[in-house]
Every structure is written in structure tokens, then in C-alpha cells.
Amino acid sequence: MAEETQQPAEVTLTIDGETVTVPREMNLIQAAAKAGIEIPSFCFHHRLSVAGNCRICLVEIEKMPKNQIACSTRVAPGMVVKTRSEKAVKGRQGVMEFLLINHPLDCPICDKAGECILQSHSFHYGTGQSRFEGEKVHGDKQVDLGPHIVFDAERCIKCTRCIRFCDEVTHTHELGFFNRGDHSIIGTFPGRRLDNAYSGCTSDICPVGALTVKEFRFKQRVWFLKNTASICSGCARGCNVYLGIHQNRIWRIMPRESEAVNKSWICDEGRLSYERYQIAERLADARSGPMVGTAAGTARPLMPRAAWEEAAATLGEVARKHGGASIAAITSGHATLEEQAALAELMRTLGGTRTALPVHERGEDDGLLIRKDKTMNSRGALLIGGVNARLDEIVAAAAKGEIRALIVLREDPIGEGGEEAGAALGTLDLLLTLDWRVTPTVRASDLALPVCAYGELDGSAMNFEGRLQLLRPGLLPHGESDPAWRPLYEMVARLGGEPAPQSFRDAFRRSASRPGPLFGLDTPAVGTAGLDLANAKEP
């Protein structure tokens, strides 16, 4: 039996005169990209199988009589590739002219304009002219494919990225190719709709304006949007995303490439998670006095510093009269690590002994991205938030009079717990709430402080796998809102603790100054890709 010859892991080839050494499993598009050379593509996507049906990636390869498509051609030792030869350029120009024959060329009214691959490649690799003089083949417009996706058949270039996504990523198989020749068309199978939990990704990977997301369609031109790199707050996955922002409003959320977290995808729920921040009633300034119950009508607005003074004085008074154990807190998986750490420090300063973390679970983990834990930072709260009690235990202790003051961070125990929770928390000497929206708990609070909503603050969060990542702001804070760590640390300072940090980085360093998973870290170490702290344990 002949001995098997082990192939080297890498091969060396020449592309446009540049010597390139790449892994042997790469195709020519990937190898050229490594050398800084662009080979245009439509149907190729690095997360999907190779289809090779658009033909725009034609290149000339020495010793081969015809141009070859780069997406399905693997690198080989000694291969000599020319992407800019006359033969390759003319081949791509012919393909581009062919692809545009039946295209409506409606860029001025197309939602994809400004980020359309067809538009870009037409400019860079086309001739700008067409020899076609006949009537274009027209297709259906505004085809409702599913709850979030609209299809324009005239713009489709039949690259099949969307079909392969549904076959290979979501495995839901809603889409197929129908008819033949210039009447071939993408569509859903009879009785099916494009309604999988990741349907918006088909619009992301569509290289033209054929598939668009209903919620963003005709809302904004993409060149007006400022894309802020952040993470999704929709669940414990913490997908890397871009927030598309214009005029102090989030218009869309798009996936950001992350090999470690979400690859190239996000779910539809996360994609549209910004909507809840736009429809909720915002808490714009600090309020003293409940807006409901027997004391309704006594609420008055406060300046931030006056609110911090009043909160610290009242908490200190409760601690002196009834002991630190009479003060409890409800932290949140919706809060950032800095906010959770600040609440934990305030509790230590007061001598508080009970902190609860409400659970927000819905549905099941789906094996791709979606997590049933609908908070972005529950793991962080468990690691540094001082969690040691359940929410029902806090409510029961309040009903018995064991707890006289309660600090609630970004949670709504009355709204979710109903009349029983409302009655129990109504007996407190102080109900202090920090939230971005007006909730039943805020309405019942003796003191309510406004805090920044998603998209308005810097912060860090740890996903369920233990990856520490950064949230970035793209919006101005609403009213007098601050990140919650600021009023919490201001209370600590007024109770005799260290001065409050004045920036997010200082707040992060203060969180990392105590023994625990963050000890000694600084924000540059986290970066845009995040930091794997999977082995971090509770202190």
C-alpha cells in the first residue's frame, strides 16, 4: 500500500505579481483579499457554501485557456493569477452588462443605494454602457415574503445567498428558485412564508435592493446614518451590532462581524429591539414623591444634585434607625457592569445585606444565537453585583417590615409582581428607583432618578459565555439622565465613601479595583472584539 503524502498546510501562489502564502483551503477571492487585492463577487459569502452562479469574479489563470471564477477555484502551489489582465477585465465587464440587462436601474429610489454591491461593482467593474435595446423583463414589485421582508423581483440578480442562508444557517428552507431563464425568480414555497427568527439577515446579505426590511424601508438614506459599534441588549448572547443613528434616533440595528459571538448574524428580535426604547414613556428628570396611591399629587421635580443629597440622606437615616440589614436592593441584568458594581458598593457602604436579581426568561435557547435569558448582563450581576437573594424574598421581607428601604435599578417589581408587590413595597420608608422609563414602580417611588437608556451610555456587559464586551453610545442622553453608576457613586460619596468617578473609564476602573473577574482590567484591554473571561468565578 502506497504511503499517503501529507500536504502542506499552506501554499504559495502569485496574484497580480504579488507572492501570497495562504491556507490551502482558501479560494482565490480569500487569497487575494489577504494580499489587499479585491476580486468582485455577488454570490460568494464567506459564511455560505459556494454557488458560483454570478460569474463576476472571473480571473485569468496561467495555463488555463479560459477565465475561471475565483470563488470556486482553490489556491494551488505555484498558481499565477491575473485579476487585472485585459482578458479578465473584459470578462467581468461582459458579466456586469449581462446582469444589468433586466435590472430597473432605480438607484435613486432604492433603499440599498449607498451600500449596494451591484451599484459599487457597476461603477468599478462595468463599462457604464449597455448594448441591449429590447424591452426589459419586468418582475413583481413589493412582494410580501414574510413579517419583516419585502421582495422586489426586478432588482434580484439570482445570487441565491438568501436561499442558501435559509438552507444552511437557519435550516428552515422557506426559499427556492422557480421558473427558468430570464423568468427565473426567488420565492417562498407554496404555503410558506419567510418567517424564521433570522429573516432580516437575508436583507443584510442581499447584494442588491431585492430584499428589504419593512421596518427600515423608506425611512432613511443610509448615507445619513452614523454607525456606532456596540452590542445588542436583547438577550444574554450580546451580539455585536452597529446602531444606525441619525438625528438622535436609532433607525436600524445591523449585525457586526464577530467570529466569537454571532459570526455575521443577528435575530429579528434583536434587530428590532430599539423600537421599545422609542415607544416607552421616558423619565426625564428626578422626581420626589409617588405619583400613585394615597400620596399621589405630591411628586415634585428635583435637580440631580438635590436628588442625590435627598437619596443619600434618607438612606443614611434608615440605616441609622433600623440598621443596614433593613436596606435591600434589586439589581438588574439590563444594567451595565459599572452600574451593578456601583449599586453593590452603595449597599456595602450602607451595610445592606440583601440584593436580588430578577429573572427575565422567555422561550428557549435555539442553538444558533437566541437565548431564553432576555437580559444582556445577568452573568455580570452574578459575578460582581452582590446577588444573594430572590425577588420574592425581598418582597416578602418588605411585607413583614424587615426591609424599610429598597433601591431598584432598571427593574419594575410592581409592574411584574402586581398588587401583592405593590402593597408590600408601599409600606417602605423609602422606595428609590433608577430607571429610564416610567413604570408602575417609578410611579410608586418616593424618589425616582432618570438614567440613560440603551444607546445613550458607555458601559460593559458580560454575555452568558463570559465574554466581556463594550456598549457604545450614539444618542444624547434624554433629559437629565445619567448612567446609573453616577448617582449611585454620588450617594456613596455623600455617605462618606470615595468621590464619584467622572467618566465611564474611571467607573470601569473602579469596578475593576476590587478582587474579582475584572480585577486590574482597563477598557483598552476589552477593545471592540471583547475579552474572554469564561473562567471567571464569583469572588
Side-chain angles (χ1 to χ4, degrees), residues 23 58 238 331 395:
L58 289 173
T331 190
V395 172

Side-chain angles (χ1 to χ4, degrees), residues 149-328:
I149 297 296
V150 174
F151 176 56
D152 186 316
E154 290 186 346
R155 295 174 183 162
C156 180
I157 60 171
K158 287 80 175 177
C159 71
T160 71
R161 279 185 175 188
C162 53
I163 296 175
R164 284 175 282 149
F165 174 81
C166 293
D167 289 344
E168 300 167 11
V169 180
T170 63
H171 306 287
T172 46
H173 312 288
E174 298 102 326
L175 296 176
F177 230 154
F178 302 94
N179 301 328
R180 304 190 67 179
D182 60 6
H183 285 77
S184 59
I185 186 173
I186 301 292
T188 54
F189 288 101
R192 301 287 305 275
R193 282 172 61 78
L194 180 56
D195 59 356
N196 67 64
Y198 300 86
S199 64
C201 293
T202 59
S203 174
D204 298 338
I205 61 176
C206 180
V208 297
L211 297 171
T212 49
V213 176
K214 292 178 182 177
E215 288 79 1
F216 179 68
R217 181 178 166 87
F218 301 138
K219 296 291 176 58
Q220 281 286 308
R221 302 313 311 233
V222 297
W223 50 80
F224 291 139
L225 299 179
K226 173 189 172 186
N227 291 312
T228 300
S230 189
I231 61 173
C232 178
S233 64
C235 79
R237 175 74 61 178
C239 290
N240 288 214
V241 297
Y242 285 111
L243 309 180
I245 293 172
H246 180 53
Q247 296 176 326
N248 205 36
R249 175 178 175 176
I250 298 175
W251 292 95
R252 70 176 182 183
I253 294 179
M254 297 275 285
R256 178 162 59 92
E257 189 77 15
S258 171
E259 187 64 37
V261 181
N262 54 295
K263 304 295 190 290
S264 305
W265 324 118
I266 57 171
C267 68
D268 291 346
E269 186 174 348
R271 181 184 301 275
L272 302 175
S273 60
Y274 63 90
E275 292 182 331
R276 64 173 176 263
Y277 298 99
Q278 295 169 350
I279 61 176
E281 181 184 358
R282 292 294 304 267
L283 181 62
D285 51 22
R287 295 177 184 177
S288 176
M291 293 177 276
V292 296
T294 55
T298 62
R300 68 185 197 284
L302 286 176
M303 295 296 288
R305 291 186 180 279
W308 304 338
E309 295 282 357
E310 184 170 319
T314 308
L315 287 170
E317 181 66 17
V318 171
R320 280 190 294 274
K321 287 177 63 177
H322 305 287
S326 67
I327 300 175

Side-chain angles (χ1 to χ4, degrees), residues 57-102:
C57 60
L58 289 173
V59 296
E60 182 181 357
I61 301 175
E62 278 191 7
K63 300 179 183 179
M64 290 189 178
K66 297 181 179 179
N67 284 335
Q68 302 294 310
I69 52 174
C71 64
S72 69
T73 305
R74 290 282 182 88
V75 295
M79 180 181 277
V80 178
V81 181
K82 299 174 182 176
T83 71
R84 299 167 190 164
S85 68
E86 182 179 358
K87 186 177 179 180
V89 169
K90 282 190 173 296
R92 292 198 294 267
Q93 288 176 342
V95 170
M96 183 57 69
E97 185 179 2
F98 178 76
L99 289 172
L100 293 177
I101 282 179
N102 290 313

Side-chain angles (χ1 to χ4, degrees), residues 331 336-345 348 377-387 460 462 511-512 514-519 537-539:
T331 190
T336 65
L337 276 167
E338 296 72 36
E339 294 173 332
Q340 294 163 350
L343 178 57
E345 184 168 330
R348 289 193 296 273
N377 197 25
S378 289
R379 180 158 178 168
L382 293 171
L383 285 171
I384 68 169
V387 176
S460 63
M462 186 175 291
S511 306
R514 288 181 56 81
L518 303 183
F519 184 71
K537 304 294 184 186
E538 295 180 45

Side-chain angles (χ1 to χ4, degrees), residues 440-485:
T441 303
V442 166
R443 292 182 185 280
S445 294
D446 300 295
L447 187 58
L449 304 181
V451 298
C452 295
Y454 176 70
E456 297 177 354
L457 76 168
D458 278 301
S460 63
M462 186 175 291
N463 77 355
F464 78 104
E465 295 176 306
R467 176 165 288 273
L468 181 65
Q469 303 182 104
L470 298 180
L471 295 94
R472 291 301 189 189
L475 303 172
L476 297 174
H478 180 74
E480 296 177 341
S481 301
D482 280 310
W485 53 259

